[in-house]
Every structure is written in C-alpha cells, then in structure tokens.
Amino acid sequence: RGPRNVRSVARAFNAMTTELQASDERRRQFLADVSHELRTPLSVIRGRAEGIIDGVYPGDALHVSPILESARTLELLIEDLRTLALAEAGGLTLRRESLDVGVLINETLALFDEAARGRGVRLSAAADILPAVQADPARLQSVLSNLVSNALRHTPPDGAVVVSARRNDDGVEVAVSDSGEGIATDLLPQVFDRFVKGQTSTGSGLGLAIARDLVLAHGGRISATNPPGGGATIVFWLPAS
C-alpha cells in the first residue's frame, strides 16, 4: 500500500527476506547432510579402534582395513566438499589448454576397462572428428570419470555403457549412456543437487553436483534424461576453442 515508490521498495524488501529465508534453510539442510555423511565413516573408525584397544578385535590387517577404508572415504568427502565450495565461491582454478575430447574419452575409458570386464559390462566409445576445446584436462577427466563410474554401477551384467561425442552448437557434446534401470523419476529433476542419491547408491551424493559445477565453470551445460529405450544418459556440452 501507499505511493508507487513505497510499494516498489516493499516488494523488493519482501523478495529479499524470502531469499534470505530460503538461503538459511539451504545452509541448514547442507550442514545436516554433511553431518549425516560424516557420521557413518567416523562411527566405523571409532568402533573398530575402540574394539582393538579393548582387546575385542586383534590388531591385524583384517580388522584395521575398515579403519583405513573409512578414513579414505572421509578424505574423498572432504575433497569433494572443498571442490564444491571453491566452485560455488567462484574460486575454482582451471588450468585450460587446447584439448582433444576424443583422446580424453579413450584415456578415461582405459581407466575403467578392468572394472567393466569384471562386471561383465561392455564399455565403448563413439566419437566424430571434433574441434578442440579450451579446458582443464584433469577437471574434465574428473567429470567424465564420475559419469562413467556411475554408469557402470547402475548397469547389470551383459549391459553396455557407451560414451559418445559429436559437434553441436559450435561446441562439443559428450554423452554417457548406460543400459541400467535409469534414474528414478522423482530424482531426475534434482539429480545434480548436492547429496541427492538413489536408495541403492553407495556414494556421497556429491559426484554429479561437482560434475555440474565443473562443466559450468568451463562455460558449458549438463543435463540428465531417461531415454525411451531404457537406461540413463548424462550429456554435457562445452564450447569449442
């Protein structure tokens, strides 16, 4: 109510208040999610260590290994959180260079060849002749590795994971497709949010959020779909050099 300029200020103030409340709620939820993810490995470390000290377990490799595995889980989680924090604060450093995406795809798939054969999953690449992109090779390989790793985990034996790349919109589009169960319908709209994961997922729920932030930092875009033929496809696009 009141003069137009007063109404305008009031609307702006109400919008700011609403955004502050939403931001505070996101912060609270983020802290709750982080606490939840930290609790499990810390419980394993403390429980095993106390058991060894009290003589319940012998201090051999069999009983110490869960402590080391949980410590590794904590290290990965902390590094993921650090990457997210840098990306969201605009402080992520990219060491860009002219990059052949086709070569990067082949190098990344080579890292997963043994794991794919162990699961009985066919792993293949299909790439056109592509323009070079200006990108950070390590960061981009992190994105692709995360997508391929996720695809392998959700693909049954005798299934297939295909990484394809093509020219599109003056850039390069990379798609990682699997023949698994697809992404749950209720998760699909928020699959790139932090700590979002399916019931059968064993990860931290940060991988796709980090992949999104890294792609966006390169000036690209990323999306997820469940194709009509089944499975899931994650597509990211990067501008050409």
Side-chain angles (χ1 to χ4, degrees):
R1 298 174 182 176
R4 177 179 296 177
N5 59 340
V6 174
R7 294 198 308 270
S8 178
V9 171
R11 285 194 295 269
F13 185 82
N14 289 338
M16 179 188 68
T17 302
T18 300
E19 177 56 31
L20 285 173
Q21 289 175 338
S23 177
D24 185 61
E25 179 59 31
R26 290 193 296 269
R27 180 183 62 82
R28 292 173 184 272
Q29 185 60 50
F30 177 71
L31 290 175
D33 290 338
V34 170
S35 299
H36 175 76
E37 292 296 328
L38 291 173
R39 188 176 297 116
T40 299
L42 285 174
S43 296
V44 171
I45 291 172
R46 179 174 180 175
R48 286 282 175 166
E50 288 180 344
I52 292 174
I53 291 173
D54 294 339
V56 177
Y57 305 125
D60 55 19
L62 178 64
H63 293 88
V64 171
S65 61
I67 296 177
L68 296 177
E69 291 171 6
S70 296
R72 178 58 177 160
T73 298
L74 285 176
E75 289 176 350
L76 293 174
L77 179 58
I78 290 169
E79 182 58 31
D80 286 348
L81 289 170
R82 176 178 176 275
T83 301
L84 274 178
L86 287 173
E88 294 186 356
L92 193 63
T93 301
L94 297 178
R95 293 177 171 83
R96 294 177 184 263
E97 60 183 66
S98 182
L99 182 66
D100 186 326
V101 175
V103 172
L104 181 71
I105 290 173
N106 289 329
E107 290 177 349
T108 303
L109 292 187
L111 300 176
F112 291 93
D113 183 62
E114 185 176 348
R117 284 190 282 107
R119 295 181 61 87
V121 174
R122 297 183 302 279
L123 192 60
S124 62
D128 297 337
I129 298 176
L130 303 169
V133 299
Q134 287 293 321
D136 184 322
R139 297 292 190 183
L140 204 56
Q141 186 170 70
S142 174
V143 171
L144 194 54
S145 294
N146 182 274
L147 300 184
V148 172
S149 177
N150 281 347
L152 284 175
R153 282 201 303 269
H154 294 282
T155 301
D158 295 327
V161 173
V162 179
V163 181
S164 59
R166 65 187 182 98
R167 291 173 177 260
N168 187 28
D169 291 341
D170 296 324
V172 175
E173 182 180 273
V174 179
V176 179
S177 303
D178 65 62
S179 58
E181 73 277 11
I183 302 169
T185 304
D186 59 325
L187 293 183
L188 195 55
Q190 52 186 352
V191 72
F192 295 106
D193 292 348
R194 294 174 301 198
F195 297 109
V196 170
K197 55 184 178 180
Q199 294 181 346
T200 60
S201 177
T202 58
S204 66
L206 292 174
L208 289 180
I210 292 173
R212 174 203 59 197
D213 287 349
L214 291 177
V215 169
L216 292 179
H218 281 84
R221 57 181 181 263
I222 189 168
S223 62
T225 59
N226 286 331
T233 297
I234 308 289
V235 177
F236 67 88
W237 175 88
L238 298 172
S241 302

